[in-house]
């Protein structure tokens, strides 16, 4: 039957069904991407090699590598350190914290995925809102907006620019350089910050957010033990040194030697190999301690010396950690951890303990458990299932913490800058990003497991599936047909008005489709329109990419908006009220700026 239907009609039918599926969200976006590939081949619009070309394309490979690079910055604490600096530099009131948060989030989003950046800064903003008594709704939406604007500073900040560059290359135009969009992106970020400081803040609601139900188990002040190993950097440290050294973010509350408590604080030279320090610390730093050379997390006592057997992915300790709440009628209550003997009974190790009231400064094995105590335990899937089935356990809660390899934060930053420098020097972008991603894993800034989990497979598969749409639009002539339909109404308009019209169309569509899909759909059309409206193909395609990533008319426009929706206590209309004028401002700057940058 396909022989009786024109290729253009077949393609438009595939696009219409794909858009309907994406808008309805009946099927996951990545599956829609796979269906697009299958449909383009089944409709005989593309051969198998052409339909599958997206999986080996520069945008798909570069996006996967950028996810790993972003994970390196997150896991080594670079993002956390940036958040602490912002909190430290923020003055009283709203304006200075708002400017610092938006500026820093925007710059970070130029090099990492904007959702990752937003997620890492939400806790910083929430802490800041409590300290300064600023409603979270006044901070979180601007952070999400800034993250979207920041992706326009480099072409690795969002898949849309990689797809735009690929489309330009396919049309015989020069590809975009890593920082070729930086002048426009920096102008957009600066305009966004000024808009929020001068006008937008009056459009933000004054509302408290919805508390994360799992936040009650993001606890600090865990009691745990660390053993000093041969060659440990702790050997020459005194108690005062550890208290002031920012690399060791824990509080020493006791010292054990040969199974006995050593009274008093230790001076320089007193700490010996095999000594066990009792420390209080946060979940993140509990895991980070175990990553330090010469320092071992646990064991809890002489009864639990043997470690839990590890699987092939032994680097990802946090995957086997859970928080266990001791039940009110538990037979654990009143017994010490050594008496319960968790390793023998369940096959798990107790690595930490949190108690709401009372000071814990005893060896973990000797602590008598109370109802409501929260234990951090490590074990394999079967062991954790046995523990969960015991009546003494109220619930198992996922461990709210990730190991931060803090000593490698400068190395992670250097790897990112090196990858960017490699791309600027002329290396293919996907290869430069892959070199950086491989370096992050080889230097253990991230483990292989963390690297794979950092890659959003849905985004990768969807991008790979959406890219062939551009090739199909060119091959069937559909792009030219749409361009001709738009050419007449836009031909009499000035380049500014024409580009602004294209931006508005893209901005509306991207509220219901991903930035990658919107750019893949509109880039070929923009290439066909460029000559008719009197602008360069690059200016036209970049305008499409900016409209795809920097439009926040609704909370559906970007995942970052959805991420702050609950914590900020927002309503749908809040984004329409604050996001629409900002999006129009972005459109005006893009329509005016792109012809100047690419005449």
């Amino acid at each position: 039957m396909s022989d009786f239907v024109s290729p253009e009609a077949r393609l438009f039918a595939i696009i219409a069904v794909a858009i309907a599926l994406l808008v309805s969200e009946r099927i996951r976006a990545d599956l829609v991407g796979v269906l697009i590939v299958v449909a383009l081949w089944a409709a005989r619009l593309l051969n198998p090699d052409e339909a599958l070309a997206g999986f080996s394309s520069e945008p798909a490979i570069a996006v996967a590598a950028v996810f790993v690079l972003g994970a390196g910055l997150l896991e080594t604490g670079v993002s956390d350190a940036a958040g602490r600096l912002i909190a430290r530099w923020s003055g009283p009131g709203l304006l200075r914290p708002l400017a610092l948060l938006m500026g820093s989030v925007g710059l970070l989003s130029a090099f990492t995925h904007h959702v990752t950046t937003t997620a890492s800064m939400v806790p910083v903003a929430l802490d800041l809102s409590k300290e300064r008594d600023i409603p979270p709704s006044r901070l979180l939406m601007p952070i999400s907006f800034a993250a979207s604007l920041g992706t326009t500073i480099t072409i690795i900040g969002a898949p849309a620019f990689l797809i735009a560059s690929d489309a330009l290359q396919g049309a015989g135009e020069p590809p975009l350089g890593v920082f070729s969009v930086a002048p426009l992106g920096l102008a957009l970020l600066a305009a966004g910050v000024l808009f929020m400081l001068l006008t937008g803040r009056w459009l933000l609601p004054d509302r408290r957010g919805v508390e994360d139900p799992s936040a009650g188990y993001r606890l600090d002040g865990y009691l745990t033990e660390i053993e000093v190993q041969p060659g440990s950097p702790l050997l020459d440290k005194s108690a005062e040194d550890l208290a002031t050294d920012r690399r060791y973010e824990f509080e020493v509350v006791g010292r054990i030697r040969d199974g006995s408590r050593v009274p008093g604080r230790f001076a320089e030279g007193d700490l010996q190999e095999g000594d066990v320090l009792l420390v209080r610390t946060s979940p993140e730093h509990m895991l980070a301690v175990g990553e330090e050379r010469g320092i071992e997390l646990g064991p809890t006592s002489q009864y639990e010396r043997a470690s839990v057997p590890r699987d092939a992915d032994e680097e990802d300790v946090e995957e086997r950690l859970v928080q266990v709440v001791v039940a009110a009628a538990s037979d654990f209550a009143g017994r010490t951890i050594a008496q319960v003997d968790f390793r023998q009974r369940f096959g798990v190790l107790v690595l930490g303990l949190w108690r709401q009231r009372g000071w814990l400064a005893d060896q973990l094995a000797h602590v008598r458990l109370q109802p409501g105590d929260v234990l951090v335990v490590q074990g394999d899937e079967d062991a954790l299932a046995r523990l969960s089935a015991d009546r003494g356990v109220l619930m198992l809660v996922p461990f709210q913490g990730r190991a931060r390899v803090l000593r490698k934060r400068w190395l992670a930053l250097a790897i990112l800058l090196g990858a960017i420098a490699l791309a600027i020097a002329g290396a293919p972008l996907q290869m430069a990003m892959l070199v950086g991603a491989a370096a992050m894993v080889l230097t253990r800034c991230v483990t292989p497991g963390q690297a794979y989990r950092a890659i959003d497979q849905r985004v990768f598969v969807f991008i790979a599936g959406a890219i062939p749409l551009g090739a199909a639009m060119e091959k069937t002539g559909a792009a030219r047909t749409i361009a001709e339909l738009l050419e007449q109404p836009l031909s009499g308009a000035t380049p500014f008005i024409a580009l602004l019209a294209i931006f508005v169309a893209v901005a509306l569509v991207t509220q219901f489709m991903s930035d990658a899909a919107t750019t893949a759909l509109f880039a070929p059309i923009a290439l066909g329109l460029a000559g008719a409206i009197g602008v360069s193909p690059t200016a036209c395609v970049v305008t499409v990419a900016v409209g795809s990533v920097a439009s926040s008319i609704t909370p559906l426009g970007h995942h970052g908006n959805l991420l702050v929706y609950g914590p900020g206590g927002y309503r749908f209309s809040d984004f329409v009220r604050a996001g629409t004028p900002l999006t129009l401002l972005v459109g005006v700057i893009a329509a005016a700026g792109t012809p100047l940058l690419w005449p």
Side-chain angles (χ1 to χ4, degrees):
M1 182 178 292
S2 62
D3 293 335
F4 300 99
V5 181
S6 69
E8 290 184 21
R10 280 177 261 158
L11 178 59
F12 288 142
I14 292 171
I15 292 173
V17 172
I19 292 175
L21 290 174
L22 290 169
V23 172
S24 68
E25 296 185 346
R26 286 180 173 271
I27 298 179
R28 287 171 29 159
D30 51 341
L31 182 54
V32 174
V34 173
L35 291 176
I36 289 172
V37 171
V38 173
L40 291 174
W41 167 78
R44 292 194 280 183
L45 299 178
L46 297 177
N47 62 43
D49 289 341
E50 292 170 332
L52 293 171
F55 288 92
S56 60
S57 64
E58 176 181 315
I61 295 172
V63 163
V66 167
F67 274 123
V68 177
L69 286 168
L73 298 183
L74 181 65
E75 300 299 340
T76 56
V78 174
S79 300
D80 293 342
R84 286 196 296 270
L85 281 176
I86 294 165
R88 190 181 309 156
W89 292 341
S90 296
L94 175 66
L95 295 185
R96 188 172 173 184
L98 194 59
L100 283 171
L101 282 171
M102 290 189 69
S104 58
V105 166
L107 292 175
L108 282 172
S109 294
F111 306 103
T112 60
H113 195 273
H114 68 95
V115 175
T116 301
T117 306
T118 304
S120 65
M121 297 303 288
V122 165
V124 175
L126 291 176
D127 289 343
L128 200 61
S129 71
K130 290 179 181 178
E131 292 175 9
R132 310 293 165 82
D133 195 28
I134 302 172
S137 61
R138 312 278 282 177
L139 295 175
L140 294 180
M141 190 188 296
I143 286 177
S144 179
F145 289 170
S148 297
L149 294 172
T151 59
T152 64
I153 297 174
T154 68
I155 69 167
I156 64 174
F161 282 100
L162 295 171
I163 292 174
S165 180
D166 190 63
L168 286 168
Q169 217 169 351
E173 298 291 330
L176 296 172
V178 175
F179 288 103
S180 60
V181 294
L184 177 63
L186 290 171
L188 292 174
L189 178 60
V193 173
L194 288 174
F195 170 80
M196 276 298 166
L197 294 179
L198 300 177
T199 305
R201 63 191 177 104
W202 304 109
L203 303 175
L204 297 171
D206 190 353
R207 200 177 297 132
R208 300 289 172 179
V210 178
E211 187 73 21
D212 184 347
S214 65
Y217 294 99
R218 296 195 182 110
L219 311 173
D220 287 334
Y222 281 98
L223 176 70
T224 189
E225 300 174 0
I226 57 177
E227 183 175 352
V228 181
Q229 302 290 308
S232 171
L234 301 182
L235 288 175
D236 295 328
K237 303 288 185 180
S238 66
E240 286 72 21
D241 291 336
L242 295 182
T244 57
D245 194 330
R246 296 183 62 185
R247 291 177 300 172
Y248 308 114
E249 300 197 27
F250 52 72
E251 178 187 2
V252 178
V253 297
R255 180 166 57 120
I256 306 294
R257 177 175 295 167
D258 298 327
S260 301
R261 184 71 174 262
V262 180
R265 295 172 68 82
F266 52 92
E268 189 171 337
D270 286 349
L271 208 55
Q272 298 180 9
E273 295 178 10
D275 283 356
V276 176
L277 297 179
L278 308 178
V279 302
R280 296 173 66 87
T281 187
S282 66
E284 288 78 12
H285 292 110
M286 181 190 297
L287 291 175
V289 161
E291 295 291 329
E292 294 287 338
R293 290 188 300 270
I295 305 173
E296 183 178 331
L297 183 63
T300 58
S301 73
Q302 59 179 332
Y303 303 105
E304 300 183 0
R305 279 286 175 184
S307 63
V308 174
R310 293 189 168 191
D311 53 28
D313 199 12
E314 64 181 24
E315 304 95 338
D316 299 321
V317 177
E318 64 268 20
E319 284 197 328
R320 296 179 303 278
L321 293 179
V322 297
Q323 294 175 122
V324 177
V325 182
V326 178
S330 173
D331 62 350
F332 302 162
R335 301 169 65 189
T336 66
I337 292 175
Q339 289 171 341
V340 176
D341 200 351
F342 283 87
R343 184 180 185 277
Q344 182 65 32
R345 186 169 173 180
F346 303 106
V348 301
L349 285 180
V350 177
L351 300 183
L353 171 66
W354 177 88
R355 180 171 293 169
Q356 185 174 10
R357 294 182 178 85
W359 180 258
L360 291 171
D362 202 356
Q363 193 172 356
L364 269 179
H366 300 157
V367 174
R368 293 192 179 276
L369 296 174
Q370 297 179 6
D373 282 352
V374 180
L375 302 174
V376 178
V377 299
Q378 174 191 2
D380 59 26
E381 186 176 347
D382 293 337
L384 294 176
R386 287 192 296 271
L387 179 60
S388 177
D390 193 277
R391 288 183 297 176
V393 173
L394 184 62
M395 67 178 78
L396 265 65
V397 182
F399 187 66
Q400 300 291 342
R402 299 290 299 272
R404 297 285 189 262
V405 194
L406 302 180
R407 68 178 185 276
K408 295 184 177 180
R409 62 177 57 164
W410 292 110
L411 177 60
L413 197 57
I415 289 172
L416 173 66
L417 295 176
I420 294 171
L422 195 60
I424 294 173
L429 180 63
Q430 69 272 35
M431 297 310 300
M433 296 299 106
L434 275 178
V435 169
M440 285 288 188
V441 177
L442 290 174
T443 58
R444 295 187 62 80
C445 291
V446 292
T447 66
Q450 289 170 336
Y452 279 114
R453 288 196 301 275
I455 300 171
D456 191 327
Q457 292 99 337
R458 296 189 185 194
V459 172
F460 176 83
V461 173
F462 180 70
I463 289 172
I467 284 175
L469 278 176
M473 292 188 75
E474 289 294 335
K475 187 175 181 179
T476 62
R480 185 66 246 169
T481 299
I482 298 174
E484 288 172 354
L485 290 174
L486 295 174
E487 185 174 335
Q488 186 173 359
L490 293 180
S491 59
T494 64
F496 171 78
I497 295 298
L499 287 174
L500 185 59
I502 292 172
F503 177 92
V504 170
V506 171
L508 292 174
V509 172
T510 200
Q511 302 308 305
F512 308 101
M513 292 175 58
S514 73
D515 60 296
T518 306
T519 305
L521 181 64
F522 276 90
I525 299 170
L527 286 168
L529 280 172
I533 62 177
V535 297
S536 71
T538 304
C540 216
V541 172
V542 169
T543 300
V544 168
V546 172
S548 298
V549 303
S551 304
S552 297
I553 301 172
T554 73
L556 305 176
H558 293 286
H559 293 147
N561 292 343
L562 297 175
L563 193 65
V564 303
Y565 197 91
Y570 294 115
R571 298 169 185 160
F572 191 94
S573 58
D574 295 330
F575 283 86
V576 176
R577 184 172 57 252
T580 301
L582 176 60
T583 300
L584 290 175
L585 176 62
V586 169
V588 168
I589 295 173
T594 50
L596 296 177
L597 289 173
W598 296 279

